[in-house]
Amino acid sequence: MTDDRADQFACTAAVLETTPDVVAVSNLGVASYVLAAVEDRARNFYEWGSMGVTTPTGLGLALAVDDPVVVFEGDGSLLMSLGVLSTLGAVDPSNLTVVVWDNAIYGTTGGQSNHSLNTDFAGVAESCGVSSTHVRTDEAFEDAYQEATETDRTELIVCDVEPVDPDSRPPFDFAHIKRRVRDALTEK
């Protein structure tokens, strides 16, 4: 790891430690692999084969439940659905935090460069009315996430991370994942 990029594993763990009851929606591939490696839990909604819909899915969940919701979004995936930032700004649920893991590559499909280096995700989000910050270290991420949990609006945190290729994989049974999350949300 270089000095100017955070550790995605440590930052993911910090989210689960800070908000143990959070509903976590994770992007296909690396974000889901890291989340499963940190902790495979009933409130993890892994998106398999669905690039570009992680933030819209998290938004839908945030509107449907009172529980805190975090989206672990990939930079390549958000590039495919930048329009969702306008919707986030308009709807602005207070229980939603979107984390964009920016590693500047399409990590799941082979490490091809993407255009995140040319895209100011936090700036685009701000222009859409979404409170945003851009961080590059584990400590800055932890502070930004803690602050996000204390606000009454949607927050977006862009976090520069080193590319990783974890060995762990979440369950590949889509119906099971959906039922497991639904059951976890209805058990109170």
Side-chain angles (χ1 to χ4, degrees), residues 18 94 97 131-133 135 139-153 155 157:
T18 302
S94 61
T97 302
S131 178
S132 305
T133 190
V135 298
E139 296 78 18
F141 176 83
E142 290 176 27
D143 291 344
Y145 186 75
Q146 181 64 48
E147 289 174 21
T149 65
E150 297 167 358
T151 68
D152 61 353
R153 59 178 307 175
E155 296 285 336
I157 304 168

Side-chain angles (χ1 to χ4, degrees), residues 7-23:
D7 179 320
Q8 190 171 340
F9 287 92
C11 294
T12 299
V15 168
L16 299 183
E17 290 166 13
T18 302
T19 49
D21 291 332
V22 73
V23 182

Side-chain angles (χ1 to χ4, degrees), residues 32 86 161:
S32 287
S86 181
V161 293

